[in-house]
């Protein structure tokens, strides 16, 4: 490989969701298609995932979950985090309760701390990084608590989901474009908070435009090419890099994270975080991502372009 231009963390999210997703992620790691995983500690197969990570020496962080399934903390009976059935409110439900002003940040903090402690019990060490399932960690108010928890535990790295060139991805359906635009707005407003707490993140984030059916060899090349050629010229990315205390000249070796959701699709009634597997995890898109990420055309592109796969612990 030529001198690396990009250190790329390819993170397999939702590790622990079910044994099939877990095995697919491990197979992809062995094939060189991902370099890092993010563990859902409240998922039904989290223990299975942790054992696989240990056995295969897979770098692992925490996928903090406040929106799907059952909580880890035992002290949340009647909590504002939970619905009448004792489950988290869901991806959009969590945002609605937060926006209504009814969510207690003390309960958010208690659950986040419980999840870090559970991670340590399962894995045997602190998370190398910590991000949020369904991007809850960059939401207003939550980001302050999230940053404080990371700081207290000494967890250095997180994810800031602002993707260069995303606004030009008109192939995405309108509802996804709207959701992604809000995620990016929340993430941009999180930069100051994370920076104030001494938390770091890669220079460039990718993954909103390459999920599921939108993942293809050509679309991955488009996203990665943008990072390789224009990351320092993009207004948002330049702000990210400067906020992150990175070098600002054109010879800067860029660090990046590609968020992915591969695996062998969940079977009905097997997996999830206490409520069974959702449509997302049962979708054939999970296998499509797995097969695309291990495509020799993708792996060769990394080598040809000087993209070195690594993990947060390598930064």
């Amino acid at each position: 490989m030529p001198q690396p231009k990009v250190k790329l963390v390819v993170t397999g999210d939702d590790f622990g969701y079910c044994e099939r997703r877990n095995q697919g992620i491990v197979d992809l790691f062995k094939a060189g298609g991902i370099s890092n995983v993010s563990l859902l500690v409240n998922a039904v197969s989290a223990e299975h995932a942790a054992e696989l990570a240990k056995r295969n020496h897979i770098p692992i962080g925490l996928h903090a979950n406040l929106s799907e399934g059952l909580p880890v903390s035992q002290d949340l009976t009647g909590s504002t985090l939970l619905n009448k059935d004792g489950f988290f409110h869901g991806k959009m439900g969590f945002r609605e309760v937060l926006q209504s002003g009814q969510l207690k940040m003390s309960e958010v903090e208690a659950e986040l701390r419980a999840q870090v402690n559970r991670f340590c019990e399962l894995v045997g060490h602190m998370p190398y990084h910590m991000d949020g399932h369904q991007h809850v960690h960059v939401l207003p108010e939550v980001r302050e608590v999230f940053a404080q928890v990371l700081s207290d535990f000494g967890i250095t790295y997180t994810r800031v989901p602002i993707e260069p060139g995303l606004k030009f991805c008109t192939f995405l359906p309108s509802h996804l474009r709207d959701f992604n635009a809000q995620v990016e707005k929340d993430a941009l407003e999180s930069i100051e908070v994370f920076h104030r707490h001494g938390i770091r993140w890669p220079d460039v984030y990718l993954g909103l435009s390459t999920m599921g059916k939108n993942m293809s060899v050509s679309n991955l090349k488009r996203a990665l090419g943008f990072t390789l050629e224009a990351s320092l010229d993009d207004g948002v990315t330049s702000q990210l890099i400067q906020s992150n205390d990175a070098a600002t000249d054109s010879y800067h070796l860029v660090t990046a994270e590609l968020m992915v959701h591969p695996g062998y699709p969940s079977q009905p009634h097997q997996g999830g975080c206490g409520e069974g597997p959702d449509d997302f995890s049962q979708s054939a898109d999970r296998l499509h991502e797995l097969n695309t990420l291990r495509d020799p055309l993708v792996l060769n592109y990394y080598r040809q372009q000087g993209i070195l796969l690594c993990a947060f612990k390598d930064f």
Side-chain angles (χ1 to χ4, degrees), residues 8 10 206-207 209-211 214-227 258-260 289 292-295 298 301-302 307:
L8 177 66
V10 183
L206 303 168
S209 69
T210 54
M211 286 180 63
N214 292 312
M215 182 177 286
S216 64
V217 174
S218 60
N219 201 22
L220 284 171
K221 286 182 177 181
R222 176 201 58 78
L224 291 163
F226 195 97
T227 301
L258 172 62
M259 173 194 76
V260 298
E289 288 198 23
T292 305
L293 289 163
R294 64 184 175 189
D295 190 312
V298 173
Y301 181 78
Y302 293 153
I307 299 172

Side-chain angles (χ1 to χ4, degrees), residues 167-185:
K167 62 186 176 183
F168 303 116
C169 295
T170 54
F171 55 84
L172 296 174
S174 59
H175 73 278
L176 266 185
R177 290 203 302 272
D178 292 344
F179 179 76
N180 291 344
Q182 187 59 53
V183 167
E184 288 201 319
K185 179 179 181 291

Side-chain angles (χ1 to χ4, degrees), residues 6-83:
V6 175
K7 283 188 174 180
L8 177 66
V9 180
V10 183
T11 301
D13 279 3
D14 302 342
F15 199 43
Y17 200 86
C18 72
E19 292 194 6
R20 284 175 55 83
R21 290 284 301 281
N22 291 350
Q23 191 58 55
I25 286 170
V26 170
D27 289 351
L28 184 56
F29 176 79
K30 289 179 176 179
I34 60 170
S35 55
N36 188 66
V37 294
S38 206
L39 178 68
L40 286 165
V41 295
N42 74 325
V44 297
S45 296
E47 192 168 339
H48 174 256
E51 288 304 314
L52 287 174
K54 291 176 196 173
R55 193 182 313 155
N56 294 281
H57 308 289
I58 304 174
I60 186 168
L62 174 58
H63 203 42
N65 184 3
L66 301 172
S67 56
E68 182 180 353
L70 292 165
V72 171
S73 174
Q74 302 298 306
D75 303 320
L76 292 179
T77 305
S79 166
T80 61
L81 274 174
L82 309 177
N83 64 21

Side-chain angles (χ1 to χ4, degrees), residues 5 22 32 52 77 88 149 162 166 169 175 193 257-259 275 305 313:
K5 300 174 189 173
N22 291 350
L52 287 174
T77 305
F88 289 134
V149 169
I162 300 174
L166 186 65
C169 295
H175 73 278
V193 177
E257 182 188 18
L258 172 62
M259 173 194 76
E275 300 173 278
Q305 297 298 322
K313 71 183 184 69

Side-chain angles (χ1 to χ4, degrees), residues 251-282:
Y251 300 99
H252 170 60
L253 182 135
V254 176
T255 57
E257 182 188 18
L258 172 62
M259 173 194 76
V260 298
H261 299 84
Y264 303 121
S266 300
Q267 300 283 10
H269 315 299
Q270 294 180 15
C273 299
E275 300 173 278
D278 60 10
D279 292 342
F280 182 89
S281 192
Q282 295 179 73

